[in-house]
Amino acid sequence: MKPLLSICCTTFNHEKFLEKTLEGFLAQQTNFSFEIVIHDDASTDRTVEIIQEYAKKDSRIVPILQTENQYSQNIKIWPNYLFPKAQGKYIALCEGDDYWTDPLKLQKQVDFLEANPDYVISWTNYQIFNGKSYTSNNFNHQEANTTIDYDNLFSPYCTLTLTTVFKKEALNLELLKSLKHSKDNSLYVLVLQNGKGVFMDFESAVYRVHEGGVYSLQSNFFKNYSSYINLKEVTDVAPESKSRNVNKVLKSLEDASATEVLKLKYTGEKLSEVQVDFIATYLKSADFKTKFKYYKKLFKYKFLK
């Protein structure tokens, strides 16, 4: 039977976490069929072995196993491997180091999307685990189900990969594939071209912050700058997304990236070529007020040094 939903999971050296992730998938209680498509990017630990063990036990698990790392070659996993393989009307996302805690997560999200055809993507609340303690989020939403569109997307940032469920037909896959800097924010912007999103305020998952995390422990400059170039690229190809809110988010990411470059200058670290090019472009296009603030901070840092 063709599944109604495809869980798409990416893994890389996740042997410490993957069993809990897979158990969270298999614990889902649904009145529809689903598959679990897992892409491993040439892990060097026991990740592949764990995937193969689970796949032998459950035919719903569909492995895609790479022998050469794709991420390092800037080949995007979602549009090139996972999404084309997914058979479901809906796609749920989760990486191999995060996990789901609510066995009705998928059922609740699919029920909402099925009952509200003008909505094409859904997110839920989640907890953050740093290896020692759990932290809950309070996004100050006024309703249990809050509509997300370009007027409030990323404000606050409540749309994490591990809780995402979206309608596959709402995504322009070829456009996503064409983006040089695509990531989860690109996906959200493109899907919202074809309908509304919903944030469902119940905790369904746990986001792990750990030393092996590809993104969670990256530098603040990398986080801000990668989000900035990603959002700038996708809004340029989806101009209808350039709402006052999204433009404000974009400016905030750009300013935050510039501040991180200032901090690096203050500590005496040598700037990378990317950082040098970014700050030159930033100052060239900045208005007088922005430049004044920047040089004021630079003078302050130099004075303190």
Side-chain angles (χ1 to χ4, degrees):
M1 184 186 303
K2 185 177 180 180
L4 180 70
L5 180 142
S6 300
I7 300 171
C8 288
C9 178
T10 54
T11 64
F12 179 70
N13 288 350
H14 287 156
E15 66 173 2
K16 296 179 181 179
F17 317 112
L18 185 55
E19 291 190 44
K20 195 170 186 68
T21 304
L22 292 172
E23 291 297 335
F25 296 162
L26 296 173
Q28 290 298 299
Q29 301 171 18
T30 64
N31 59 15
F32 54 82
S33 60
F34 62 86
E35 64 177 349
I36 303 167
V37 187
I38 306 179
H39 179 280
D40 180 76
D41 205 12
S43 290
T44 57
D45 61 5
R46 289 188 60 254
T47 298
V48 171
E49 184 180 333
I50 294 169
I51 293 172
Q52 291 173 329
E53 289 174 356
Y54 272 81
K56 287 179 182 178
K57 298 175 186 177
D58 198 311
S59 61
R60 293 176 295 176
I61 297 176
V62 182
I64 302 174
L65 307 177
Q66 300 290 352
T67 57
E68 189 175 341
N69 188 271
Q70 305 297 295
Y71 179 82
S72 62
Q73 301 175 62
N74 201 32
I75 298 174
K76 305 301 182 183
I77 306 303
W78 285 349
N80 287 288
Y81 296 108
L82 278 171
F83 295 168
K85 186 75 171 180
Q87 300 182 71
K89 174 182 178 181
Y90 297 102
I91 291 178
L93 302 174
C94 187
E95 296 179 358
D97 52 349
D98 300 322
Y99 62 96
W100 296 344
T101 54
D102 187 342
L104 297 177
K105 173 191 184 298
L106 294 181
Q107 187 69 60
K108 293 173 184 176
Q109 291 178 270
V110 169
D111 281 349
F112 182 93
L113 293 173
E114 288 280 274
N116 299 275
D118 51 334
Y119 286 77
V120 292
I121 189 167
S122 166
W123 301 274
T124 80
N125 212 328
Y126 58 92
Q127 289 189 317
I128 302 169
F129 181 56
N130 63 8
K132 296 181 180 179
S133 60
Y134 292 86
T135 304
S136 293
N137 298 293
N138 181 8
F139 294 115
N140 296 318
H141 288 121
Q142 302 301 313
E143 299 175 339
N145 295 329
T146 301
T147 296
I148 303 291
D149 55 24
Y150 296 137
D151 290 331
N152 63 352
L153 181 63
F154 311 132
S155 302
Y157 196 93
C158 58
T159 53
L160 259 64
T161 300
L162 75 162
T163 74
T164 305
V165 173
F166 70 94
K167 194 175 292 185
K168 185 179 179 182
E169 68 177 13
L171 174 65
N172 185 331
L173 184 59
E174 291 306 311
L175 185 53
L176 180 66
K177 192 183 295 186
S178 72
L179 298 177
K180 182 179 178 181
H181 305 290
S182 68
K183 57 183 213 174
D184 52 354
N185 292 343
S186 310
L187 171 70
Y188 307 153
V189 170
L190 294 183
V191 169
L192 287 173
Q193 287 181 303
N194 296 297
K196 295 181 287 188
V198 62
F199 176 83
M200 306 176 73
D201 200 3
F202 68 92
E203 289 182 350
S204 73
V206 172
Y207 176 71
R208 290 185 190 267
V209 179
H210 61 90
E211 291 183 359
V214 173
Y215 182 81
S216 61
L217 292 181
Q218 292 280 3
S219 69
N220 286 332
F221 173 80
F222 176 87
K223 290 178 181 178
N224 287 303
Y225 180 68
S226 64
S227 294
Y228 167 70
I229 58 175
N230 146 249
L231 189 57
K232 185 177 187 305
E233 179 185 43
V234 73
T235 54
D236 283 344
V237 300
E240 67 270 39
S241 68
K242 291 185 177 182
S243 64
R244 181 178 180 183
N245 167 66
V246 170
N247 285 336
K248 184 178 179 181
V249 171
L250 193 60
K251 182 66 166 61
S252 176
L253 290 169
E254 186 182 29
D255 290 344
S257 300
T259 298
E260 292 304 319
V261 172
L262 270 176
K263 290 178 181 178
L264 291 173
K265 283 187 174 183
Y266 168 65
T267 57
E269 292 188 40
K270 183 178 180 180
L271 300 184
S272 68
E273 185 177 341
V274 169
Q275 290 163 342
V276 170
D277 289 345
F278 162 73
I279 204 65
T281 302
Y282 173 79
L283 292 173
K284 185 177 180 180
S285 60
D287 57 25
F288 175 80
K289 184 177 180 181
T290 301
K291 288 180 181 178
F292 179 79
K293 286 182 178 180
Y294 178 84
Y295 285 114
K296 183 179 179 181
K297 287 181 181 178
L298 181 60
F299 177 80
K300 178 182 177 182
Y301 286 155
K302 283 185 176 180
F303 178 76
L304 289 173
K305 187 176 180 181

